[in-house]
């Protein structure tokens, strides 16, 4: 998985009509092949009378990908949908474009354009999200330093996930990984080395 990656915020859906054929694009965030297969199957169940449910997906590693024309002429459905995902620089995404045939043939180039457009409008409806490597940190702060530490947090755009007030204050914090060393140095300087952050978890998060 890349250090930073771009995916979609939520499930997005949109549709349009091209020469009497109805195209419905749906984009959903996925992490595994099983997730993608579940999305595809749910669309098939939702549109049992549709002629085609073309799909493509790219998982979070950026390398696991698959596409299907689902009965359309080879290369006119799945490949254009996959191409839209990849050109958008997205991973962790499954897109299904459903077609209700309207009786008018679109030709190979027309089909490719229509399926690509269905993918684009679905992704636009889903929205983009930039994911960055982040650290979850635990720190224990004596009360006399609590105000100073609280003043420090916004300077590193840190989110407080949890706080516990006992004999001392225990904070669980979320910070971008590239800012963590600077924050640790600032804490040490502020506390004369008595407050040291403990790494609890590494995760990807949507954080500026």
């Amino acid at each position: 998985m890349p250090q930073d990656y771009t995916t979609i915020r939520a499930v997005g859906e949109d549709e349009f009509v091209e020469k009497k054929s109805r195209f419905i694009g749906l984009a959903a965030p996925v992490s595994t092949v099983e997730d993608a297969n579940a999305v595809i199957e749910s669309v098939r169940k939702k549109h049992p009378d549709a002629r085609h449910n073309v799909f493509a997906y790219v998982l979070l590693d950026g390398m696991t990908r698959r596409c299907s024309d689902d009965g359309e002429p080879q290369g006119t459905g799945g490949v254009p949908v996959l191409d839209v995902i990849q050109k958008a620089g997205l991973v962790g995404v499954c897109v299904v474009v459903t077609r209700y045939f309207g009786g008018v043939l679109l030709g190979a180039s027309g089909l490719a354009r229509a399926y690509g457009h269905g993918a684009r409008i679905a992704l636009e409806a889903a929205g983009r999200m930039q994911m960055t490597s982040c650290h979850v940190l635990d720190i224990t702060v004596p009360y006399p330093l609590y105000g100073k530490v609280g003043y420090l947090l916004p300077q590193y755009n840190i989110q407080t996930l949890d706080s516990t007030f006992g004999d001392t204050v225990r904070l669980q914090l979320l910070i971008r990984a590239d800012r963590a060393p600077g924050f640790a140095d600032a804490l040490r300087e502020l506390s004369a080395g008595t407050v040291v952050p403990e790494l609890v978890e590494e995760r990807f998060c949507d954080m500026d």
Side-chain angles (χ1 to χ4, degrees), residues 5-184:
Y5 64 91
T6 307
T7 187
I8 56 176
R9 289 192 173 275
V11 175
E13 187 173 358
D14 202 352
E15 63 179 85
F16 70 101
V17 175
E18 179 71 19
K19 294 183 180 179
K20 299 183 179 180
S21 280
R22 181 186 175 203
F23 290 86
I24 307 164
L26 179 137
V30 294
S31 298
T32 65
V33 172
E34 290 76 18
D35 290 345
N37 288 338
V39 170
I40 296 160
E41 187 59 30
S42 70
V43 173
R44 285 175 175 158
K45 288 181 178 178
K46 185 178 179 181
H47 301 288
D49 300 328
R51 180 74 67 91
H52 307 281
N53 289 289
V54 164
F55 70 83
Y57 61 78
V58 180
L59 298 189
L60 291 172
D61 61 10
M63 302 300 295
T64 304
R65 62 193 74 165
R66 187 185 169 203
C67 63
S68 169
D69 297 312
D70 194 35
E72 293 283 25
Q74 184 175 0
T76 62
V79 170
V81 172
L82 181 61
D83 188 55
V84 168
I85 296 171
Q86 292 180 313
K87 284 184 176 176
L90 297 170
V91 296
V93 176
C94 177
V95 176
V96 185
V97 182
T98 300
R99 181 191 183 194
Y100 285 91
F101 182 54
V104 179
L105 297 176
L106 300 181
S109 61
L111 280 174
R113 284 195 300 271
Y115 279 112
H117 182 63
R120 276 189 292 274
I121 62 176
L123 291 172
E124 287 169 5
R128 295 169 67 92
M129 180 168 61
Q130 181 71 27
M131 302 296 284
T132 301
S133 178
C134 293
H135 288 175
V136 178
L137 305 175
D138 263 356
I139 63 171
T140 300
V141 183
Y143 279 97
L145 293 178
Y146 177 60
K148 293 180 179 180
V149 171
Y151 177 76
L152 196 62
L153 302 186
Q155 298 179 36
Y156 292 87
N157 197 27
I158 293 172
Q159 296 178 18
T160 301
L161 303 179
D162 192 26
S163 55
T164 304
F165 296 88
D167 293 336
T168 57
V169 183
R170 183 177 179 183
L171 302 175
Q172 188 168 89
L173 309 172
L174 183 66
I175 183 174
R176 278 179 49 149
D178 57 356
R179 295 180 181 139
F183 175 62

